[in-house]
């Protein structure tokens, strides 16, 4: 394919190339037509966000929820945060419908809810929910009302936020928007970051998990305190390849932050030095390997408007390595999301390229009324094409939160959009088998006390037909909302999976080869020594190690010295377990 070199602009080799005579892209020759339909009424999720928070700063900026398998039946359920009324829990009936079991699970108190995140904070094998709240109907807007719904494992929640020390972020005023669980200190339990937006509230807070169902506020000690931050959407994810998660925060008024993990319990603010933080009104965020180069890129939604110094809008920070980014949103065609809010990264058509979905709108601003949601289809070569209307994704409400999940377990990703003052919409991906092959991976790290639950923090690298696809399992906030804790891969033209590699924060590696596509793969992993990933370290693992005795490297080289021998056997025996 030829092009006129005189008219080209290059950004990152192999990532973006735009030319006056056309766009050079590396796209598959054939693509399935992407189609969505709103299934919320048919699924039994008939719910409208009240849209009433008179007198609270940012009162029209809320509506969110979270996805999690709260009853451990293998199917994702939906938690919906409400404002001025009770939260709602919809349990998946496994037949395409949901049942409202809010009252049965103990969600009976009306409050001024904001957003939600999901994680097993006490490592008991049951997903818990953290909900930011700025008060109850009785208290009015006041600090001290965030909720940590502990999953009791019997179909009920108990709010333990006060006992856990996470019921407020600002001692002075009501605040708290998006939140995220993540293991920033790599000790095996989930820590919590909460974004605060209200001016002068000092409401952005990092809570370290003490391992006993309590948390300690370490914001200042960890180096992430900034009085001027207006934080909306936090996320813990490794951006520089050392498997220690960075802290990424989408913030309003040019206060987005890129904090690099120093691996000693502290962070360094590298926002300016990294080339990030250029978004004027950071709202939501998504992280994914958009260019299939093996490292995570960062997408931040913002407000698209013309200003004197140039055009504002969404920002796409492509990862150049060494904690440096190149911003390419305008060249990629993803800068104009209107008044952007929640966003997710997902391969919606299974072509092996990660796409971007975004909800938007602000009903009180004439320029942003009845805005259409965006579906930016990744065309390869750093270029995206917006197809929401053609795909039937007709969302024109005041969108806020957005999450991905496979609610019908057919292998493609579906989406839930939460809207301020509007109906919840469940957008089913209607393409099914026509999309091509896929793989969904769940990780159970419950037996490994030094690894975060549900594989959070693990990097997955899939190789198929010579193409490398990278994913992380994380509980990051898209905007007031958290997606299903899975890794989803579209396989493009590949007919089989050559290799799936898991890299865990403890330095261990698991490799699966010759996997069949079109399956939901669940691995249970007990950490270093669990060679066959059955959740125990026992005789079967010893047999595998002895069978490779003297080999150079491989998954049985437990100490990574390049040789399988006595030192590796000693590690295995020291971690010997008979039950998870």
């Amino acid at each position: 394919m030829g092009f006129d070199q005189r008219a080209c602009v290059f950004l990152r080799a192999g990532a973006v190339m735009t030319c006056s005579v056309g766009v050079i892209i590396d796209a598959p020759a054939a693509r399935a037509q992407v189609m969505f339909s709103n299934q919320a009424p048919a699924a039994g999720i008939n719910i409208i966000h009240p849209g009433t928070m008179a007198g609270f700063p940012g009162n029209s900026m809320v509506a969110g929820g979270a996805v999690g398998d709260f009853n451990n039946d293998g199917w994702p359920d939906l938690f919906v945060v409400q404002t001025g009324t009770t939260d709602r829990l919809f349990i998946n009936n496994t037949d395409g419908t949901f049942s409202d079991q809010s009252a049965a699970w103990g969600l009976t108190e009306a409050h001024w809810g904001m957003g939600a995140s999901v994680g097993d904070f006490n490592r008991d094998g049951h997903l818990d929910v953290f909900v930011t709240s700025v008060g109850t109907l009785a208290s009015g807007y006041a600090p001290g009302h965030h909720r940590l719904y502990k999953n009791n494992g019997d179909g009920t929640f108990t709010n333990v936020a006060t006992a856990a020390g996470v019921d407020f972020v600002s001692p002075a005023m009501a605040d708290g928007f998006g939140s995220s669980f993540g293991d920033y200190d790599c000790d095996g339990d989930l820590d919590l970051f909460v974004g605060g937006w209200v001016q002068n509230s000092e409401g952005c807070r990092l809570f370290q998990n003490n391992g006993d169902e309590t948390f300690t506020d370490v914001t200042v000690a960890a180096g992430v305190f900034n009085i001027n931050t207006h934080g909306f959407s936090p996320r813990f994810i490794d951006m520089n390849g050392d498997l220690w998660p960075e802290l990424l925060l989408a913030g309003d008024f040019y206060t987005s932050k890129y904090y690099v993990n120093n691996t000693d319990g502290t962070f360094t603010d590298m926002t300016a030095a990294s080339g990030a933080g250029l978004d004027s009104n950071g709202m939501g965020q998504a992280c994914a390997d958009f260019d299939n180069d093996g490292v995570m890129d960062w997408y931040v939604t913002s407000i698209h408007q013309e200003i004197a110094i140039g055009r504002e809008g969404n920002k796409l920070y492509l990862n150049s390595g060494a904690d440096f980014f190149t911003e390419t949103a305008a060249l990629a065609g993803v800068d104009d999301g209107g008044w952007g809010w929640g966003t997710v990264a997902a391969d919606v058509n299974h072509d092996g390229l990660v796409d971007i979905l975004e909800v938007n709108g602000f009903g009180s601003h004439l320029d942003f009324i009845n805005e259409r949601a965006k579906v930016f289809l990744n065309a390869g070569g750093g270029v995206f094409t917006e197809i929401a209307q053609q795909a039937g994704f007709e969302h024109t409400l005041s969108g806020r939160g957005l999450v991905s999940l496979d609610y019908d377990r057919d292998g493609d990703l579906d989406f839930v959009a939460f809207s301020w003052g509007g109906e919840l919409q469940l957008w089913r991906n209607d393409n099914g088998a026509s999309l091509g092959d896929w793989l969904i991976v769940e990780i159970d790290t419950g037996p490994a006390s030094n690894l975060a639950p549900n594989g959070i923090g693990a990097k997955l690298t899939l190789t198929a037909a010579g193409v490398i696809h990278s994913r992380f399992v994380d509980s990051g906030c898209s905007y007031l909302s958290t997606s299903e804790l899975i890794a989803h891969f579209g396989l493009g033209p590949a007919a089989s999976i050559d290799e799936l590699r898991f890299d865990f924060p403890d330095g261990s590696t698991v490799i699966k080869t010759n996997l069949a596509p079109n399956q939901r793969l669940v691995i249970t992993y007990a950490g270093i020594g669990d060679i066959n990933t059955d959740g125990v370290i026992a005789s079967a693992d010893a047999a595998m190690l002895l069978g490779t005795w003297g080999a150079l490297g491989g998954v049985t080289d437990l100490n990574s010295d390049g040789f399988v021998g006595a030192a590796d056997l000693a590690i295995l025996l020291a971690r010997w377990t008979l039950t998870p």
Side-chain angles (χ1 to χ4, degrees):
M1 180 181 297
F3 60 92
D4 184 351
Q5 292 184 350
R6 295 168 297 177
C8 290
V9 177
F10 295 80
L11 288 182
R12 296 190 65 211
V16 174
M17 180 186 295
T18 62
C19 305
S20 63
V21 294
V23 178
I24 308 300
I25 60 175
D26 300 314
R31 297 179 182 273
Q33 174 64 43
V34 181
M35 290 300 299
F36 296 94
S37 61
N38 178 22
Q39 295 294 315
I45 311 179
N46 297 301
I47 185 170
I48 295 177
H49 186 274
T52 54
M53 284 190 73
F56 182 77
N59 66 85
S60 59
M61 302 192 303
V62 300
V67 180
D69 180 9
F70 300 113
N71 60 358
N72 282 355
D73 67 350
W75 292 71
D77 310 305
L78 182 64
F79 187 100
V80 183
V81 179
Q82 288 289 77
T83 303
T85 182
T86 58
D87 295 327
R88 306 285 285 276
L89 178 66
F90 294 93
I91 296 295
N92 198 321
N93 296 325
T94 77
D95 61 359
T97 68
F98 293 79
S99 293
D100 186 345
Q101 296 188 18
S102 311
W105 281 69
L107 303 177
T108 57
E109 184 179 22
H111 71 113
W112 301 108
M114 308 292 277
S117 55
V118 167
D120 180 5
F121 86 99
N122 57 358
R123 295 192 58 92
D124 66 352
H126 304 285
L127 286 176
D128 312 296
V129 186
F130 179 77
V131 177
T132 48
S133 173
V134 295
T136 66
L137 302 190
S139 72
Y141 306 135
H145 293 281
H146 296 323
R147 294 150 190 273
L148 177 56
Y149 288 115
K150 176 183 174 180
N151 189 334
N152 299 315
D154 59 359
T156 65
F157 288 122
T158 300
N159 179 18
V160 298
T162 300
V166 293
D167 55 338
F168 66 90
V169 289
S170 170
M173 61 187 77
D175 196 7
F177 277 75
S179 60
S180 177
F181 285 102
D183 186 9
Y184 83 92
D185 50 6
C186 292
D187 65 351
D189 51 32
L190 292 175
D191 312 300
L192 176 68
F193 189 92
V194 185
W197 176 84
V198 179
Q199 186 175 6
N200 297 324
S201 79
E202 302 180 7
C204 289
R205 292 285 158 179
L206 174 61
F207 297 96
Q208 184 180 44
N209 194 324
N210 298 321
D212 58 0
E213 298 195 352
T214 69
F215 293 80
T216 298
D217 183 348
V218 295
T219 311
V220 174
V224 295
F225 176 77
N226 188 314
I227 192 172
N228 296 315
T229 300
H230 298 268
F232 276 135
S233 304
R235 179 181 300 264
F236 293 98
I237 191 165
D238 173 33
M239 302 295 286
N240 57 20
D242 64 358
L243 291 176
W244 289 76
E246 275 59 63
L247 172 59
L248 282 60
L249 178 63
D252 210 353
F253 311 124
Y254 289 102
T255 63
S256 290
K257 297 294 181 182
Y258 178 66
Y259 291 109
V260 174
N261 195 323
N262 297 324
T263 76
D264 61 359
T266 68
F267 293 85
T268 297
D269 184 351
M270 295 284 289
T271 309
S274 70
L278 304 178
D279 41 282
S280 59
N281 302 97
M283 308 289 191
Q285 65 159 301
C287 286
D289 184 7
F290 294 111
D291 49 7
N292 282 351
D293 66 352
V295 292
M296 295 295 108
D297 309 304
W298 187 19
Y299 181 72
V300 179
T301 61
S302 187
I303 304 172
H304 186 268
Q305 54 191 332
E306 299 291 338
I307 63 174
I309 60 174
R311 185 171 60 180
E312 290 292 343
N314 303 328
K315 300 300 179 184
L316 176 58
Y317 302 108
L318 291 183
N319 193 333
S320 302
D323 296 308
F324 184 77
F325 300 95
T326 301
E327 202 290 301
T328 66
L331 288 171
V334 296
D335 60 324
D336 186 357
W339 194 305
W341 296 96
T343 182
V344 292
D347 184 354
V348 299
N349 60 353
H350 291 182
D351 66 350
L353 300 170
V354 181
D355 314 299
I356 299 171
L357 290 83
E358 175 184 345
V359 292
N360 47 35
F362 208 122
S364 62
H365 290 257
L366 293 179
D367 291 339
F368 301 99
I369 294 175
N370 297 322
E371 280 193 303
R372 294 185 183 276
K374 305 294 184 181
V375 178
F376 295 112
L377 201 66
N378 192 336
V383 178
F384 293 75
T385 303
E386 206 289 299
I387 63 161
Q389 190 168 6
Q390 303 95 295
F393 203 98
E394 295 285 350
H395 184 280
T396 56
L397 303 173
S398 292
R400 297 296 180 262
L402 182 67
V403 296
S404 62
L405 74 166
D406 182 14
Y407 85 97
D408 49 6
R409 289 190 52 135
D410 65 351
D412 55 36
L413 289 180
D414 314 296
F415 305 90
V416 174
F418 307 91
S419 298
W420 175 76
E423 65 184 26
L424 178 148
Q425 295 181 348
L426 170 60
W427 291 97
R428 185 181 68 191
N429 192 329
D430 288 333
N431 297 276
S434 68
L435 287 180
D437 294 334
W438 53 273
L439 181 72
I440 287 178
V441 184
E442 295 180 57
I443 306 176
D444 176 10
T445 41
S449 61
N450 66 320
L451 296 177
N454 301 100
I456 289 177
K459 181 180 182 180
L460 287 70
T461 305
L462 183 147
T463 304
V467 178
I468 297 175
H469 311 264
S470 299
R471 303 285 189 273
F472 270 91
V473 180
D474 76 288
S475 181
C477 177
S478 67
Y479 180 81
L480 303 180
S481 307
T482 305
S483 296
E484 187 176 4
L485 296 175
I486 57 175
H488 170 268
F489 299 87
L491 300 181
S496 62
I497 299 166
D498 302 319
E499 179 181 284
L500 178 61
R501 177 186 175 109
F502 302 78
D503 288 298
F504 292 96
D506 67 350
S508 61
T509 298
V510 171
I511 297 177
K512 303 283 187 181
T513 57
N514 300 317
L515 290 172
N518 305 321
Q519 64 167 316
R520 195 178 183 103
L521 176 67
V522 181
I523 73 159
T524 302
Y525 183 55
I528 297 173
D530 185 10
I531 299 168
N532 64 351
T533 64
D534 64 353
V536 295
I537 301 172
S539 57
D541 303 296
M544 293 179 69
L545 189 149
L546 294 173
T548 58
W549 194 268
L552 300 179
V555 295
T556 54
D557 178 13
L558 303 183
N559 65 350
S560 301
D561 66 352
F563 179 79
V564 179
D568 305 297
L569 181 59
I571 292 173
L572 187 148
L573 294 176
R575 295 178 53 80
W576 193 272
T577 57
L578 296 179
T579 58

